[in-house]
Structures are given as structure tokens and as C-alpha cells.
Amino acid sequence: MAWTNHAIRWHRPRCRPVRTEAPSRKLGLPLWTRRQIFTPSNTIAAILAASHNSPLQGEKADLTVNGFVRSVRNQKRMSFAVIGDGSTIEPLQAVLTSSQAEGLSTGTGVQITGEWRPSPPGKQQSHELHATAVKILGQADSGTYPLQKKYHSPEFLRTFPHLRTRTPLNSLLLRLRSHAIARLTTFFSNRDIYQTHPPIITSSDCEGAGEAFSVTTSLSQTLSSGSPRSRQDPSELFFRSPKYLTVSSQLHLEALAQSVGQVWTLSPTFRAEKSDTPRHLSEFYMLEAELCFIDRLGGIMSLVEDMLQDLAKSLQNSTIGHEILMAKRNWETGEEDGPSISAETLRKRWQGIEEGPWPRITYSNAIELLKDAVHDKRVAFEYSPSWDDGLHAEHERFIAEDVGHGKPVFVTDYPQKIKAFYMAPSESESTNQGGPAAHDPTVACFDLLMPEICEVAGGSMREHRLPQLLTSMRAHGLVKKNEPSEAGDPDGNAVGQMPMEEEDLGNLQWYADLRKWGSVPHGGFGLGFDRLLGYLAGVRNIRDVVTFPRVYGRCDC
């Protein structure tokens, strides 16, 4: 019998007539043909939700499911197959005859048609699928398939990145990523902040850290014969000059923001940093935004706070969030980098993000806080807090716990000399008062610290004035001087004299040009998307959050 309720409707793909164009008649085809409309199959998540929400005792329903066999248990007269399709961590149990179960093993792709019946009393699942037809769609070699019905450590699963997303927990992380992207897209769209796609291949290292991957071709590598890139003939290079994989889309977003006012992107970024830790990746996703006509850092921080609070609220009220908490309660997650995070701890994380406002503390006050804590013997750090050295991970962790009390914390107004060249000066000199080095200038920037994972986002006001930007670029060694000719110049200037107009800004010339033509006050931020997902899901190692992790010394698939 057909069963229809508010949660789901069982039906077969329907077809409707579609009128063809005149050439069809010339080809001898009928004027009216039939085109099949795509109708998605019933997912296991939808089937189980319908059973939970509208349990009809004694009722039966005919349906067809597609999925993969997680396990098979054979008895004398019947067999039981656990089927999953990635739409939920809860499996569907199919009851089969011995002949129907032939050829089924863990990993096999199947299509099963049958009656959806209430389970006998005492069973864990409320309903079972009693098969009337079983079709094997993809055979799996049971002798070599690596994902069997047993515990697999995260390290073992990382050796099979092309298969590990078939496990319930890893498929759940895939759906969490999809949920977060959809929610963030809606958040920005509702505020008229436009999504853009900046380039991945760039001409400069935005952060100036020298940790960028160079872009080349196999032919260029052969021609170079191991010679330094700087010595290669430009004609041998694909782009006629060295190019890199982007470390940040910020500079390009600044250009795009001056076109439509407010922009954002979620793009892959790359760092050639030789760090083999649970917190680092060589390829990861950054959520970045730039906003024009804003002259206060507080507005940028408020946007970040609203964005993450909206995401945390949606997670608490979603099926994804419920399943994450259920997985934490019922499964051994195999945490390798510390004790497993409980469902209650994870729920408090989400609540800490949702509750506002978040504390804001200046860098000067943060340094004083750390020094006072050491003086009072409340904590012992491996690295002594110092104004000139920035905040280490242990410092950030203490600030997040001592100041935030479960909430994220903004640390603002860092020393200018330890930050990037494009950051604008702090709004007021008062931000330095009482600090360990009150005479040192600071910049209008922030780092967002979260309990346990420390920094997850950073932002700043951008220097929109050309003279000040050039001064900062000179201080950071980003401006070169053109070499004078040996014979002097036609105007009679002595050899070695360098007019300011002859300074070479190199690959940042276009960025400086933005300040010449209508530059306005603006600012933005960047957020480590994969690190955020790990925090929301309670996964300590960032390599288990991404599908195909690229890290120092390892790039599988």
C-alpha cells in the first residue's frame, strides 16, 4: 500500500510530456515525446525520520532504498543487512532471505525494494525493511575492502582518504560542512554581502611570511635543472614571472569590495609551512570578507560575532547538531590527541558561542594579564609573555579560559611591528596606555580566540591612504629601488640619487594603485573554516575534518 504523511511521500519517478521543436518532425520523430523528470530517491534519513515522527503501528509501506552495506549477519533461514547511505549516522536494517543475501558483503552498493514494517517488540530499531528484491549495484571484494565492522583509528582511516568518508562519523562531518556553508551563505546574502571567487594563483605573498608554494610546470622544472627560481630566464616561466598559490584572498577582495561595497569568499588557501601538528594543514579553506565605508574595528568584530552566533544557533536546532551529540554519546570517536570531548562539553561550546556579547581585551592588557598570572603563580608558561614576541598558543589558551569563561575572546590592537604591512593604525593612542611598551605604535586589528583551539580568526582595518601605506611597505622591506644607470641620467643627476617616483613596488604595484583612485576606509577578516568545523564537531585533529588532508610530508590521492 502507498503511505503518505507530512514527513515524506513514497512515489515513483513520474514523467510528463514535453513538446519538441520543429526539427524533430523532419527527423521522423513524433511531435510529442516523453522526458523523465529527475526525482531524488528516498534517503535513509528521510525514511527513519518519517518512522520516528509518525509511527503507524501495524502499517506497511512499499519502498526502495539505495545505499552501501555496512555489515551482514547470516542465520539459517534469514539474513540481516545494515544499510547506510551517508544521509544519517543511523543505519537501516534490511531483512533478507538467504538467497537474497548471496554476494552481499561490507561495502557492497545495493538497491533493495521491500515492505517497511514495524519491528518486533524489543528491537532497537522501530522498523525494518523486509526485502522483496535485492539488486547489487557495485560489488565489493570482501577480502580486500579495508573498512570492516570494527573500530578503526583515525590514523588508520587517514591512509584511505578516498574511502573514510563512507564511515558514519566522517560522512557526518561532510554534512556538517555542507550545513555550515549553506547557513553562512544565507547569512551574508541577507546582509547584501556578495560572494566572489578571487584567484588561487597570485603574484605575491599576502602575509609576507615567505611560506608560499611556487606555481610552475613540469617543463619549467626540467629547464631549471635545479637552479634557483630567481636565476631562470623569464621566458621559461609559464606566466613570465614567478607566481604562487594564494595564502590569502584579502588583497584581491579589497579590490572587489570597492566595486560592490561588501564581499566575501570561501576559498582554498595554501601554506608551505613545515608544521606537522594536529592544528596545521598545507591546504585549507579560509572564509574571508571585506567591507567598504567602515571606519571602526568594532563593526568588523560585531559582524564576526553575529555570523558565528547565527551558525551556532542553527547547529543546535538542526538534525546535524543532534546527530553530532548522539555520536559523542554513543560512539568511541578514537580521539588520539587528548581525552574524548563529551556531548555535554560540546553543547556548552555551542552555547558559549551563541551567548553574547563576547569579551574584548587589548593586547596591552592581555600581556599585563599574563604577567600578573605568572607573578601570582597561577600559571607557568614555557614562553614568558613579552610585548615584542606576540602571543604563543599557551598564552592564547589561558586568555580564552581566564577572560572568556567559555566564550570566544577578541584581542585587539597588536604592536605594529609584529603585524602585516596593510594594517591601519589603532583608532586611539589610549589603546597603549598602561601597556608594557606604551611608546610602541599599535594597529587596529584583532585575533579571535576560542577555548582550546586558540586563534580561529583575525581581522583589521586596512590602511587606505597611499602615503601611509607606502611608509609601512618600506618599513617591511617591500619597496625596492630601481638601479640607476652607470653613466648617470640625462638630467645631470649624480649616479645613485633615487627619486621616490623610481621606487619599485613589484607585484604589489596594483595594490598600491587602489589607494590612488577613490580608496575609502575599509576593513575585513579571515577565518580558518576547517579549524572552526573541528571546534564545532569536537574533533581535535584538523586532518580528520577535511576530506583529503594535505600536510607536510603527505599528500595522498
Side-chain angles (χ1 to χ4, degrees):
M1 65 175 291
W3 172 27
T4 302
N5 59 33
H6 296 292
I8 191 170
R9 175 177 296 166
W10 317 115
H11 57 81
R12 295 180 179 178
R14 295 175 297 174
C15 295
R16 68 181 180 188
V18 177
R19 193 179 185 88
T20 61
E21 299 295 335
S24 299
R25 179 176 295 176
K26 296 179 180 180
L27 296 175
L29 299 176
L31 182 62
W32 291 89
T33 61
R34 298 180 68 85
R35 178 171 64 88
Q36 186 175 8
I37 300 174
F38 170 75
T39 303
S41 61
N42 300 319
T43 65
I44 291 178
I47 295 171
L48 296 178
S51 302
H52 296 328
N53 297 334
S54 302
L56 302 179
Q57 297 298 330
E59 294 286 345
K60 301 178 182 179
D62 296 327
L63 60 92
T64 298
V65 297
N66 298 304
F68 296 90
V69 177
R70 291 185 183 174
S71 64
V72 179
R73 180 164 52 92
N74 295 314
Q75 297 182 351
K76 290 184 178 180
R77 297 184 178 181
M78 63 182 63
S79 297
F80 299 90
V82 175
I83 310 298
D85 63 357
S87 63
T88 176
I89 60 174
E90 296 185 75
L92 179 148
Q93 179 166 283
V95 182
L96 318 170
T97 64
S98 299
S99 60
Q100 290 172 338
E102 290 182 4
L104 297 187
S105 62
T106 301
T108 302
V110 295
Q111 180 182 83
I112 301 178
T113 300
E115 289 186 347
W116 187 239
R117 302 179 185 176
S119 299
K123 296 292 184 179
Q124 182 177 2
Q125 64 279 355
S126 63
H127 288 70
E128 300 172 327
L129 180 62
H130 288 250
T132 57
V134 177
K135 181 179 181 181
I136 296 179
L137 303 178
Q139 194 67 260
D141 185 351
S142 60
T144 58
Y145 187 63
L147 305 181
Q148 298 298 322
K149 188 184 177 181
K150 62 179 181 179
Y151 169 73
H152 297 299
S153 69
E155 180 59 34
F156 172 79
L157 291 175
R158 290 179 206 133
T159 62
F160 300 96
H162 55 303
L163 296 176
R164 68 171 179 169
T165 50
R166 296 188 187 184
T167 64
L169 182 58
N170 282 280
S171 64
L172 175 59
L173 293 177
L174 268 182
R175 289 184 285 117
L176 170 63
R177 179 179 293 266
S178 178
H179 170 88
I181 293 173
R183 189 72 183 193
L184 290 167
T185 301
T186 300
F187 175 87
F188 286 118
S189 178
N190 290 341
R191 288 157 180 78
D192 293 328
I193 303 176
Y194 303 104
Q195 186 176 16
T196 61
H197 296 94
I200 292 177
I201 300 176
T202 66
S203 300
S204 60
D205 176 2
C206 172
E207 301 295 334
E211 297 170 346
F213 286 100
S214 296
V215 176
T216 185
T217 65
S218 56
L219 178 60
S220 297
Q221 290 179 329
T222 302
L223 293 173
S224 65
S225 301
S227 301
R229 297 289 298 169
S230 58
R231 297 182 182 179
Q232 287 189 30
D233 186 336
S235 63
E236 298 176 358
L237 300 176
F238 186 87
F239 293 107
R240 298 294 186 265
S241 62
K243 304 300 174 187
Y244 311 94
L245 294 180
T246 182
V247 298
S248 172
S249 298
Q250 178 207 316
L251 303 189
H252 294 93
L253 288 180
E254 288 189 52
L256 299 177
Q258 295 189 26
S259 302
V260 293
Q262 305 176 117
V263 297
W264 75 283
T265 188
L266 181 60
S267 303
T269 54
F270 307 85
R271 300 285 173 89
E273 183 178 352
K274 296 182 179 180
S275 297
D276 188 16
T277 74
R279 300 176 65 246
H280 291 88
L281 291 170
S282 297
E283 177 187 358
F284 54 97
Y285 272 76
M286 286 284 289
L287 189 156
E288 299 178 82
E290 288 292 324
L291 297 87
C292 283
F293 304 104
I294 186 169
D295 56 5
R296 297 290 177 130
L297 185 66
I300 304 294
M301 290 188 287
S302 295
L303 176 66
V304 175
E305 185 171 343
D306 292 345
M307 176 189 71
L308 294 181
Q309 286 175 343
D310 180 78
L311 179 57
K313 182 178 180 180
S314 73
L315 195 58
Q316 294 197 73
N317 300 325
S318 69
T319 302
I320 297 291
H322 171 74
E323 289 198 342
I324 291 175
L325 295 178
M326 183 169 62
K328 287 295 181 181
R329 293 190 190 99
N330 300 338
W331 292 357
E332 180 183 6
T333 56
E335 297 283 356
E336 295 178 330
D337 305 291
S340 179
I341 299 173
S342 67
E344 185 60 28
T345 299
L346 197 57
R347 185 184 294 278
K348 289 181 178 179
R349 278 188 180 183
W350 301 347
Q351 293 173 346
I353 295 175
E354 187 176 354
E355 295 173 356
W358 298 347
R360 302 179 182 184
I361 182 175
T362 65
Y363 177 85
S364 298
N365 292 334
I367 293 294
E368 287 300 309
L369 173 69
L370 295 171
K371 288 186 174 181
D372 290 343
V374 173
H375 181 268
D376 297 339
K377 297 183 179 181
R378 291 190 291 137
V379 66
F381 295 121
E382 181 180 356
Y383 300 96
S384 298
S386 170
W387 172 269
D388 296 324
D389 296 335
L391 298 177
H392 293 270
E394 58 181 345
H395 303 151
E396 295 176 341
R397 190 174 298 109
F398 179 84
I399 293 171
E401 295 173 357
D402 192 75
V403 178
H405 301 292
K407 296 181 180 180
V409 178
F410 288 106
V411 180
T412 67
D413 301 287
Y414 283 69
Q416 184 183 50
K417 58 187 176 183
I418 65 173
K419 285 297 184 178
F421 73 94
Y422 49 75
M423 295 186 179
S426 295
E427 300 167 6
S428 172
E429 291 297 324
S430 62
T431 56
N432 286 332
Q433 293 180 2
H439 59 282
D440 287 344
T442 60
V443 287
C445 68
F446 71 84
D447 282 349
L448 178 61
L449 310 182
M450 287 190 170
E452 296 188 40
I453 65 169
C454 306
E455 181 189 354
V456 72
S460 73
M461 296 301 299
R462 318 308 190 190
E463 181 55 80
H464 67 284
R465 301 163 297 179
L466 180 58
Q468 287 82 352
L469 178 66
L470 291 177
T471 298
S472 179
M473 292 176 68
R474 294 187 190 103
H476 284 80
L478 299 175
V479 178
K480 299 179 181 179
K481 293 184 178 181
N482 293 323
E483 296 181 2
S485 62
E486 297 181 359
D489 62 34
D491 296 329
N493 293 329
V495 174
Q497 290 183 345
M498 294 294 174
M500 189 169 296
E501 289 78 7
E502 294 186 4
E503 288 181 326
D504 181 11
L505 303 185
N507 292 322
L508 290 174
Q509 180 64 60
W510 68 271
Y511 184 70
D513 287 345
L514 295 175
R515 273 65 181 169
K516 293 182 181 179
W517 303 303
S519 180
V520 298
H522 62 283
F525 69 90
L527 179 145
F529 187 62
D530 302 304
R531 188 173 293 182
L532 172 67
L533 292 182
Y535 182 74
L536 294 175
V539 177
R540 296 180 184 275
N541 196 318
I542 196 172
R543 302 180 189 185
D544 298 325
V545 178
V546 299
T547 51
F548 297 93
R550 276 76 171 99
V551 298
Y552 175 61
R554 191 164 187 173
C555 181
D556 299 327
C557 296

